[in-house]
Amino acid sequence: MFEKDELEKWLVNVSKFVSKPVAIYLIGGCAMSFKGYKAATKDIDIVMLSKADFDVINSAINEAGYKQETDLEDEFYLTALAVYVKGDSRIDIFLKKVGKMLAFSPKMAERATIYDKFGNLTVALASNEDIFLFKSMTPRPEDIKDCELLIQTGLEWNAIFDEILEQSKANDKWFFWTFEKVCIIENETKIPIPIKPKLLELVKKHWKHRPTDFMSNVEELDNHLPKKYQKDVLKNSKEKT
């Protein structure tokens, strides 16, 4: 686990080997720790905006004594550009897109705030809204808890909704995924999510294009979908079994 002081020591140590000006974006629990929302985090999740910048950081991390992990089993981490492990802690670096899912968009970069500069290394923290989006992609119970913490900070829900819309313009219709995760978060936290009605309207409008496993892992469907849509979800679930 990395506590805030340890995270900062790690950044200072790596920065000694950063050969030219580079910016990194922290998007997960590490960003929440620097913002004071969590005491510690197991992972350091970093997004780089260019392969050239990654090459600089990769060299610096290796020179700082961390070795790149190649024996990975979790499919999510196989999508990382590089993973470094030390004890029970890990550093994951992604290039623009995280887990072959959401992209770290130009708007996300604009919303990020600079935490500090360590020599040539500039460290920026993703906005609470964007951390929520990335946290909502995974099924890990600790990420649901983190989403609850972020909700309590007072999120700008319109910014989240606009980002979902923007990233749904391509083939991946992210509102399906986000709606499902919002339902799970509501079930777990009992906190109503303000953008859920707007997401539901998008889901209904594009119902024919839903993923085959859409809502299959969501309990209490009565709280989330009208009856006529529930029938399709239950039918798909039966066909899979």
Side-chain angles (χ1 to χ4, degrees), residues 110-124:
E110 286 178 18
R111 284 191 289 267
T113 55
I114 293 177
Y115 171 73
D116 209 342
K117 293 184 178 181
F118 305 91
N120 281 326
L121 181 63
T122 298
V123 179

Side-chain angles (χ1 to χ4, degrees), residues 72-171:
L72 300 171
E73 296 181 0
D74 191 318
E75 184 178 349
F76 181 82
Y77 294 109
L78 287 173
T79 65
L81 200 57
V83 175
Y84 312 84
V85 176
K86 187 176 183 180
D88 67 344
S89 301
R90 63 189 301 146
I91 299 109
D92 308 296
I93 300 184
F94 299 91
L95 179 60
K96 293 185 181 178
K97 207 164 190 177
V98 178
K100 290 186 178 177
M101 296 182 179
L102 283 178
F104 193 81
S105 68
K107 285 289 185 182
M108 288 182 174
E110 286 178 18
R111 284 191 289 267
T113 55
I114 293 177
Y115 171 73
D116 209 342
K117 293 184 178 181
F118 305 91
N120 281 326
L121 181 63
T122 298
V123 179
L125 309 181
S127 70
N128 291 355
E129 290 75 19
D130 297 323
I131 297 173
F132 176 88
L133 273 175
F134 285 114
K135 287 281 183 184
S136 71
M137 292 193 313
T138 71
R140 297 177 298 191
E142 59 267 29
D143 284 331
I144 299 294
K145 292 178 182 177
D146 285 347
C147 284
E148 183 175 7
L149 285 172
L150 290 164
I151 291 168
Q152 292 169 353
T153 69
L155 296 174
E156 178 51 61
W157 291 104
N158 286 335
I160 293 175
F161 185 75
D162 290 345
E163 187 66 46
I164 295 165
L165 277 182
E166 184 64 29
Q167 299 219 20
S168 294
K169 287 180 179 178
N171 292 330

Side-chain angles (χ1 to χ4, degrees), residues 10-228:
W10 181 82
L11 290 168
V12 169
N13 187 32
V14 169
S15 71
K16 296 174 184 176
F17 304 99
V18 177
S19 58
K20 65 179 184 179
V22 168
I24 64 173
Y25 295 83
L26 306 184
I27 63 170
C30 51
M32 292 180 69
S33 292
F34 281 137
K35 290 175 183 244
Y37 304 145
K38 295 182 66 171
T41 182
K42 186 176 179 180
D43 307 322
I44 300 177
D45 296 312
I46 298 171
V47 172
M48 309 294 303
L49 299 186
S50 75
K51 179 63 165 57
D53 283 352
F54 164 75
D55 290 339
V56 173
I57 289 296
N58 179 54
S59 176
I61 292 174
N62 283 312
E63 288 188 66
Y66 288 77
K67 298 302 180 185
Q68 191 166 336
E69 181 65 44
T70 56
D71 186 19
L72 300 171
E73 296 181 0
D74 191 318
E75 184 178 349
F76 181 82
Y77 294 109
L78 287 173
T79 65
L81 200 57
V83 175
Y84 312 84
V85 176
K86 187 176 183 180
D88 67 344
S89 301
R90 63 189 301 146
I91 299 109
D92 308 296
I93 300 184
F94 299 91
L95 179 60
K96 293 185 181 178
K97 207 164 190 177
V98 178
K100 290 186 178 177
M101 296 182 179
L102 283 178
F104 193 81
S105 68
K107 285 289 185 182
M108 288 182 174
E110 286 178 18
R111 284 191 289 267
T113 55
I114 293 177
Y115 171 73
D116 209 342
K117 293 184 178 181
F118 305 91
N120 281 326
L121 181 63
T122 298
V123 179
L125 309 181
S127 70
N128 291 355
E129 290 75 19
D130 297 323
I131 297 173
F132 176 88
L133 273 175
F134 285 114
K135 287 281 183 184
S136 71
M137 292 193 313
T138 71
R140 297 177 298 191
E142 59 267 29
D143 284 331
I144 299 294
K145 292 178 182 177
D146 285 347
C147 284
E148 183 175 7
L149 285 172
L150 290 164
I151 291 168
Q152 292 169 353
T153 69
L155 296 174
E156 178 51 61
W157 291 104
N158 286 335
I160 293 175
F161 185 75
D162 290 345
E163 187 66 46
I164 295 165
L165 277 182
E166 184 64 29
Q167 299 219 20
S168 294
K169 287 180 179 178
N171 292 330
D172 295 325
K173 301 303 181 189
W174 275 104
F175 47 79
F176 285 116
W177 179 260
T178 313
F179 179 79
E180 181 173 319
K181 300 305 293 186
V182 159
C183 294
I184 292 172
I185 291 168
E186 281 194 350
N187 284 347
E188 293 288 331
T189 67
K190 309 305 178 187
I191 300 173
I193 306 298
I195 59 172
K196 183 182 169 186
K198 291 197 291 186
L199 289 171
L200 177 56
E201 289 307 308
L202 285 173
V203 164
K204 289 159 60 178
K205 181 179 179 181
H206 298 273
W207 187 249
K208 291 182 180 179
H209 304 290
R210 70 191 183 282
T212 54
D213 61 347
F214 179 62
M215 298 293 284
S216 62
N217 294 318
V218 179
E219 299 178 353
E220 303 174 43
L221 285 178
D222 282 338
N223 294 333
H224 307 299
L225 283 175
K227 288 288 186 185
K228 69 175 184 177

